[in-house]
Amino acid sequence: MNGINLELLNKINKLDKVEGELLLELINMLSQTKTYSEKREVQQNFRSAVNKIINQQE
Amino acid sequence: MKILSLELYNFRQYYGKQKITFADDTYQNTTIIFGENGKGKTGIYRALMFAMFSTRHIPQDNENDEVHLVNFLHIEKNSPAIAEAYVTVEFEHEGEYYILQRKVMATRINQGRINERLGSSELQFKDTNGNVKPKTYTDDEEIRKIVNTVLDEEIKDFFLFDAEKIDTLTKDDTDIRKQVKDAILNLLQMNNIEQAQEIIKREKALIEDKLRDDISDQKLNSLEFQKQNIQKDIRSKQELLEVYESEIGESDRTISEHNVTLNKNKEILEINKKIKENKDEILEHKNRLDYLNNEIAQTHFKIAPYLILQKTLASNAKDIENFLGEEKIKVPVEIVEESLNKGNCMVCSTDLNENSENIKYLEALLESHSHSETYEFARTLLYMFEHRKDEFTDEEERLSYTLREYNETLAKIDKLKEDNEQYEKQVSQHAKLDIDLASIEEMIQKAKQSKEDNKFKSKKATEDIDSLEKTEEQVINDLNEMYETQSRNINEKKKFELLKNLEKNLKNISKEFNDEMRELLGNETTNIFRTLIDKKDIDLIEKVEINGKFEIKAIDHKGVSILSDISQGQRQILSLAFITALARIAVKKTDSNMIDYPLFMDSPFNRLSGNNRDHLINHLPDLTAQWILLLTDTEYTSSEEFVFKASGRLGKSYIINQVELNHSIIEEVDLDESLATRGRG
């Protein structure tokens, strides 16, 4: 179950680079989680990733 | 993924240690495990599920049933000590070699009851040279995560399954629909997209809160209030929609169940009708028999003497003919006498005195007159013989025809009686069924009406949701504009912009991906179904569709959904086609048509026709990385064995033999040997 579906990957790759990478990271994180606590962790990790992007833009 | 081996130690029916090494060659990728019912086939399926997923129950079990995993003989011999059992499975996935062992312990407690508890689990890895790597995983949760990356437990039943149950995949059932939907969402990673949408939405909402704090416009609060109310309405409509959909499903099930009862009862009524018709026909035939009987008696009475004397009379007729010889005198004696008295022939007027020979001839005739009465009688008798003979021959033919008809009628009666015996047997099997057809039909009508009502409500709710979503979109746009124009929090505004775009783009991706994947899945399932199904049924299904609710629909060439009309065997093949298509699309990383997972099937052929079995044997090994079959004697006969051997795809074969109760062993059988014969022997 590792990896991302090829068709989905193609679609994500068509997005703007920043958005595409962020989304890919989010989906990869989600594909490796099962439990509620892990999912909550994904939410926090995603928030950090968004902050990082915005900070870099500054 | 390929399953390399399975080792059982005192597990279920298997006493001591037993090991199966599965065929893992790319071409010879099929393994057969042959065993008669009750010898331990399902024990192997259970062992694999236990080793991989630590599950005690398999889908065909009742969850409340107590399932014992430790071999009873082992427990008995160890009692009162703890008896240990384990299963070790070795498998390979994307170049990694896994060794996973799970243990289970049992002790005998009061009144012979057995207490079982799960023991330790160990996961290790091997390198390509077969050397076991030093790290050992023992934490169940950690092992579960690793195994899930190979084969997710939520979809395991799609690849490792009891084939007799697999046709349920295509049944019209809410739970099954959910399973199918979950499998599609999981394998095609749509669930990740859904979850990603949720996460983005939550994150965006948090940022919106911050942006709102920064704006003091009353309009913002009003718009926010409006948005929340619309969203509340949408949720409430969506809940209603779910209820309607569920009730439609319930109506479908009711209609389907009652139709089954109705059809069964209709079948009985049809059979009873046939029995009645046959009885009437038998009565008619019996009346005809009586008539024929009478005819035969009368004809017999009439021609019996003839029949008895037929040969004698024929012989006598010949004698009479000889007796009459060449006698041609047809002139009456009075004419002869008068001719002699007058000296002149009374027939031709010849003067008799002219030639004395004429007088002598007439005198001789007169002399023979003494015999003429006998001749007369003989002639009469001969005439009578010949005349009567024709008459009797006709009668004889008629009698023969009547006798033939009599026998045919008797045979017809016997056949009808025999048919009725069969029909009555069928009726007695269904005797317990409720045959109150009127009330069943009434229930069907009610369910149909309810379905129509709910469809109408569902349509209305969908329209309402669409309309609300449009209004929501407008309100959100207004809100967004306010955030952008009025908030001074640049950082949060940037984040908001990013998430807003991401949300919008992901929504589009999700819709496109969902539509494309469903279409692809439907097309793949259709193609694989056509490969696997018997040629004569190849046009049975024009196309398979996976609709927006992730329901499998089989459409015929007239565009009619025929899923409920196809046989169990055909449905089983459709389910297999669906699973294979799903797996093929899900792991589409190369151009190979082969799915990256094994298909492990318990009793795969029970419901399949001979031709469909042959098709599966010849084509399934092309579609899957590995095919493992647990077959019973009725599934693996010499016919299947012949096709398997001719296909050249068989890599390993095993037979389960029972030494004694609770003591089965697994023996490898050379591929040249006849497994089916051994099994039956």
Side-chain angles (χ1 to χ4, degrees):
Chain A
M1 304 286 119
N2 278 329
I4 190 159
N5 181 287
L6 207 59
E7 307 286 336
L8 182 58
L9 188 65
N10 288 339
K11 289 189 187 301
I12 295 173
N13 282 340
K14 282 180 193 164
L15 294 179
D16 159 274
K17 190 171 178 287
V18 175
E19 279 182 35
E21 281 176 3
L22 183 60
L23 190 55
L24 211 53
E25 194 183 339
L26 176 59
I27 289 178
N28 267 331
M29 281 191 285
L30 285 168
S31 67
Q32 288 163 25
T33 60
K34 280 274 163 213
T35 61
Y36 179 74
S37 63
E38 285 170 347
K39 286 193 198 311
R40 211 168 42 193
E41 206 176 306
V42 171
Q43 180 91 44
Q44 281 160 3
N45 290 342
F46 177 69
R47 189 173 304 149
S48 306
V50 171
N51 288 336
K52 196 176 162 190
I53 289 169
I54 301 301
N55 292 337
Q56 277 171 353
Q57 282 176 357
E58 282 177 353
Chain B
M1 179 205 181
K2 279 182 186 171
I3 306 168
L4 304 175
S5 68
L6 189 70
E7 187 176 286
L8 297 83
Y9 175 72
N10 293 318
F11 188 85
R12 295 284 291 181
Q13 294 97 321
Y14 298 96
Y15 180 63
K17 197 183 283 183
Q18 307 291 326
K19 187 170 181 177
I20 303 168
T21 306
F22 299 101
D24 64 342
D25 183 74
T26 317
Y27 190 74
Q28 283 181 296
N29 62 357
T30 306
T31 302
I32 285 173
I33 302 162
F34 175 87
E36 288 169 26
N37 284 333
K39 299 283 191 291
K41 277 194 320 299
T42 303
I44 293 172
Y45 172 43
R46 203 181 282 281
L48 180 67
M49 297 299 262
F50 173 67
M52 291 289 294
F53 303 102
S54 187
T55 170
R56 298 177 72 92
H57 287 94
I58 52 176
Q60 59 257 55
D61 292 335
N62 187 335
E63 276 297 316
N64 299 321
D65 285 349
E66 199 177 351
V67 175
H68 296 288
L69 301 182
V70 184
N71 180 272
F72 287 157
L73 199 58
H74 181 54
I75 296 173
E76 200 175 297
K77 292 198 174 180
N78 271 275
S79 189
I82 295 171
E84 181 187 88
Y86 68 76
V87 182
T88 308
V89 60
E90 287 193 31
F91 54 97
E92 177 272 334
H93 185 60
E94 296 182 344
E96 288 277 13
Y97 289 83
Y98 302 70
I99 311 167
L100 176 55
Q101 186 182 75
R102 294 195 197 264
K103 288 180 180 169
V104 54
M105 318 293 180
T107 42
R108 195 176 284 282
I109 53 171
N110 298 339
Q111 297 166 335
R113 284 191 58 226
I114 291 164
N115 186 23
E116 266 190 11
R117 63 177 173 85
L118 294 182
S120 60
S121 302
E122 272 185 12
L123 173 67
Q124 286 179 295
F125 288 85
K126 267 201 304 195
D127 63 22
T128 44
N129 297 323
N131 302 315
V132 179
K133 293 179 182 177
K135 184 165 172 55
T136 302
Y137 295 84
T138 52
D139 179 64
D140 281 340
E141 188 51 31
E142 206 170 5
I143 292 173
R144 191 178 69 85
K145 274 188 192 172
I146 295 170
V147 172
N148 274 334
T149 62
V150 178
L151 180 61
D152 197 306
E153 61 193 310
E154 284 177 26
I155 55 158
K156 65 182 186 303
D157 296 339
F158 284 83
F159 300 100
L160 320 173
F161 55 83
D162 173 6
E164 283 193 36
K165 305 274 178 200
I166 198 69
D167 64 296
T168 56
L169 205 70
T170 46
K171 275 188 180 164
D172 192 8
D173 181 285
T174 317
D175 292 340
I176 300 294
R177 273 208 296 266
K178 191 178 175 308
Q179 274 182 35
V180 171
K181 184 178 175 179
D182 289 347
I184 297 174
L185 293 180
N186 188 321
L187 270 176
L188 300 184
Q189 299 173 340
M190 289 176 184
N191 52 351
N192 291 337
I193 298 177
E194 279 184 2
Q195 286 166 10
Q197 282 176 308
E198 281 299 311
I199 285 175
I200 294 168
K201 196 178 168 186
R202 271 202 297 273
E203 209 53 36
K204 194 170 137 256
L206 286 174
I207 295 167
E208 275 182 88
D209 285 346
K210 288 181 186 169
L211 291 173
R212 255 198 315 277
D213 290 345
D214 198 32
I215 302 169
S216 56
D217 193 333
Q218 278 302 313
K219 193 185 165 197
L220 183 80
N221 291 337
S222 154
L223 280 172
E224 183 57 33
F225 182 68
Q226 204 180 333
K227 186 185 94 177
Q228 281 176 11
N229 277 341
I230 294 169
Q231 285 174 343
K232 199 173 143 193
D233 283 352
I234 290 175
R235 277 197 299 277
S236 131
K237 293 278 178 194
Q238 277 168 340
E239 277 168 17
L240 275 177
L241 192 62
E242 272 178 32
V243 172
Y244 300 145
E245 294 294 329
S246 155
E247 281 178 7
I248 289 171
E250 194 57 46
S251 298
D252 278 338
R253 256 191 313 283
T254 308
I255 294 168
S256 167
E257 277 167 17
H258 286 323
N259 271 334
V260 170
T261 317
L262 203 61
N263 286 337
K264 275 182 186 167
N265 288 324
K266 270 187 182 160
E267 203 181 309
I268 293 169
L269 287 184
E270 282 297 314
I271 295 170
N272 276 334
K273 198 175 150 194
K274 276 185 197 160
I275 292 172
K276 168 91 173 56
E277 281 170 3
N278 282 358
K279 280 182 177 170
D280 289 347
E281 207 177 324
I282 289 170
L283 201 64
E284 273 176 35
H285 286 318
K286 278 187 173 169
N287 288 339
R288 180 71 186 159
L289 276 187
D290 287 345
Y291 170 79
L292 292 174
N293 228 343
N294 197 27
E295 278 281 289
I296 292 165
Q298 281 187 9
T299 314
H300 257 122
F301 181 72
K302 202 190 287 180
I303 66 167
Y306 167 74
L307 289 176
I308 294 163
L309 295 172
Q310 195 176 18
K311 280 188 181 167
T312 314
L313 288 175
S315 158
N316 287 348
K318 206 161 185 144
D319 289 345
I320 292 168
E321 275 176 3
N322 289 339
F323 168 73
L324 287 172
E326 292 298 312
E327 210 278 316
K328 300 277 191 268
I329 298 169
K330 305 288 180 206
V331 185
V333 70
E334 294 80 16
I335 303 288
V336 176
E337 277 176 344
E338 200 179 343
S339 296
L340 281 172
N341 287 339
K342 290 186 177 171
N344 206 16
C345 180
M346 300 305 291
V347 178
C348 59
S349 304
T350 309
D351 183 0
L352 296 174
N353 293 324
E354 282 179 7
N355 191 339
S356 61
E357 286 299 313
N358 290 338
I359 293 169
K360 279 182 187 169
Y361 177 71
L362 287 178
E363 281 174 347
L365 276 179
L366 199 61
E367 178 62 28
S368 66
H369 172 66
S370 57
H371 301 296
S372 66
E373 283 181 12
T374 315
Y375 280 126
E376 195 60 34
F377 175 71
R379 271 197 298 275
T380 309
L381 203 58
L382 194 58
Y383 171 79
M384 194 186 77
F385 279 171
E386 282 168 2
H387 178 75
R388 299 295 283 190
K389 186 185 161 194
D390 289 345
E391 196 181 312
F392 283 137
T393 307
D394 287 349
E395 289 287 338
E396 193 185 357
E397 274 176 17
R398 200 150 67 91
L399 180 66
S400 163
Y401 177 81
T402 315
L403 279 170
R404 203 162 52 238
E405 191 188 342
Y406 187 88
N407 285 332
E408 283 170 1
T409 311
L410 269 182
K412 280 180 192 167
I413 291 174
D414 286 346
K415 174 78 176 61
L416 288 166
K417 281 183 175 172
E418 205 176 291
D419 286 350
N420 270 5
E421 273 177 28
Q422 290 300 324
Y423 290 145
E424 274 158 7
K425 267 186 199 166
Q426 289 177 29
V427 172
S428 66
Q429 283 166 4
H430 295 285
K432 286 179 185 168
L433 284 173
D434 174 15
I435 50 166
D436 185 0
L437 299 185
S439 70
I440 291 173
E441 276 182 355
E442 198 181 320
M443 283 190 272
I444 290 175
Q445 285 312 318
K446 271 188 187 170
K448 280 184 177 170
Q449 187 57 51
S450 160
K451 184 182 169 181
E452 284 308 308
D453 292 348
N454 281 312
K455 270 170 93 174
F456 179 77
K457 287 179 191 167
S458 163
K459 194 175 164 227
K460 178 79 176 54
T462 310
E463 286 168 0
D464 290 348
I465 291 169
D466 285 348
S467 163
L468 284 165
E469 278 176 346
K470 276 181 191 152
T471 319
E472 184 199 17
E473 201 181 332
Q474 185 56 49
V475 173
I476 288 174
N477 285 342
D478 292 347
L479 274 168
N480 290 349
E481 204 182 319
M482 288 192 78
Y483 296 144
E484 280 162 23
T485 54
Q486 297 191 28
S487 172
R488 281 160 298 171
N489 192 336
I490 309 290
N491 239 12
E492 296 306 311
K493 269 165 75 172
K494 278 185 185 171
K495 282 186 207 168
F496 181 73
E497 189 64 21
L498 175 67
L499 292 174
K500 188 184 79 181
N501 288 336
L502 201 56
E503 187 181 40
K504 188 180 147 203
N505 288 331
L506 188 54
K507 191 179 173 186
N508 291 337
I509 286 178
S510 170
K511 191 184 176 314
E512 269 180 33
F513 185 62
N514 189 315
D515 291 347
E516 283 173 17
M517 286 296 107
R518 281 190 294 107
E519 191 182 349
L520 195 61
L521 188 54
N523 293 342
E524 281 286 331
T525 308
T526 311
N527 291 339
I528 297 172
F529 177 77
R530 283 166 172 261
T531 308
L532 296 180
I533 195 77
D534 178 20
K535 268 185 185 166
K536 72 177 172 52
D537 292 331
I538 204 159
D539 294 321
L540 181 77
I541 294 173
E542 178 76 13
K543 61 173 177 177
V544 178
E545 282 180 2
I546 313 296
N547 68 15
K549 294 174 201 159
F550 297 93
E551 294 161 336
I552 303 173
K553 298 272 175 197
I555 311 291
D556 75 358
H557 66 282
K558 290 179 190 159
V560 178
S561 174
I562 53 162
L563 200 57
S564 51
D565 301 318
I566 62 177
S567 73
Q568 275 186 326
Q570 289 161 342
R571 194 175 285 154
Q572 194 169 318
I573 288 180
L574 181 61
S575 299
L576 272 176
F578 171 74
I579 290 168
T580 318
L582 186 58
R584 194 190 271 187
I585 293 169
V587 292
K588 199 178 171 191
K589 290 172 187 164
T590 65
D591 291 333
S592 166
N593 278 333
M594 199 178 260
I595 64 166
D596 203 16
Y597 294 98
L599 286 176
F600 185 100
M601 303 181 181
D602 188 1
S603 310
F605 292 155
N606 260 351
R607 288 175 179 165
L608 298 186
S609 68
N611 285 342
N612 279 332
R613 290 178 183 195
D614 295 350
H615 262 257
L616 275 192
I617 295 167
N618 282 318
H619 297 287
L620 205 66
D622 288 332
L623 301 175
T624 177
Q626 195 182 30
W627 192 19
I628 299 166
L629 302 95
L630 299 171
L631 297 166
T632 186
D633 50 350
T634 52
E635 294 178 283
Y636 192 76
T637 68
S638 50
S639 305
E640 284 78 31
E641 183 167 60
F642 177 78
V643 184
F644 264 114
K645 286 187 174 171
S647 75
R649 310 301 293 267
L650 200 57
K652 291 269 183 188
S653 65
Y654 292 88
I655 186 166
I656 302 169
N657 283 318
Q658 192 179 40
V659 180
E660 58 184 314
L661 189 67
N662 295 317
H663 187 176
S664 288
I665 55 168
I666 303 164
E667 292 177 293
E668 185 169 357
V669 179
D670 196 279
L671 291 178
D672 297 332
E673 279 188 61
S674 177
L675 197 62
T677 311
R678 279 181 56 154
R680 282 200 295 268

